């Protein structure tokens, strides 16, 4: 398997990979995806894709920001590996790349959210050296606006 990793920094580059993102959000429309990306990209959002030839087999978004408790950090957002390509090291390739990116940006830490019932993701992140630091509380105000 000849894998290439690529940073995606423009909205057109990201939109081309919507089919991979749909493994996580099957009902994601191009219009909604583009609208959200248009709000996110100006705030340091980028994506990292793993490609086998022209095919994107894994993708994640990330962005850096600063909080009082941690200083500058890098946040992983929407980590997706094509189900037919799982357990082939693609996730580790992405997390290793993100770690190097965070170090280059002089971040103190890398953070992410994983849904409470996603035990496979929990196991994966534990194996990559991540651990829970707290609870991410959510109060849904309008379920119709959610992508999931």
């Amino acid at each position: 398997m000849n894998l290439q990793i690529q940073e995606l920094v423009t909205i057109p580059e990201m939109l081309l990979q919507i089919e991979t993102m749909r493994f996580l959000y099957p009902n994601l429309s191009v219009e909604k995806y583009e609208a959200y990306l248009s709000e996110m990209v100006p705030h340091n959002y980028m994506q990292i894709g793993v490609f086998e030839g022209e095919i994107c087999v894994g993708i994640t978004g990330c962005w850096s920001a600063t909080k009082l408790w941690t200083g500058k950090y890098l946040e992983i957002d929407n980590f997706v590996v094509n189900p037919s390509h799982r357990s082939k090291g693609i996730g580790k390739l992405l997390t290793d790349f993100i770690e190097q990116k965070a170090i280059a940006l002089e971040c103190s830490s890398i953070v992410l959210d994983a849904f409470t019932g996603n035990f496979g993701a929990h196991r994966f992140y534990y194996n990559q050296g991540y651990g829970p630091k707290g609870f991410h509380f959510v109060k849904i105000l309008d379920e119709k606006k959610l992508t999931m």
Side-chain angles (χ1 to χ4, degrees), residues 44-58:
N44 296 324
Y45 181 80
M46 63 175 298
Q47 292 179 343
I48 301 157
V50 177
F51 294 84
E52 187 175 45
E54 298 294 316
I55 307 297
C56 182
V57 295

Side-chain angles (χ1 to χ4, degrees), residues 133-145:
K133 183 72 174 164
F135 293 100
H136 185 100
F137 288 92
V138 177
K139 181 178 182 177
I140 305 297
L141 301 175
D142 186 346
E143 286 192 26
K144 290 180 247 131
K145 292 181 180 176

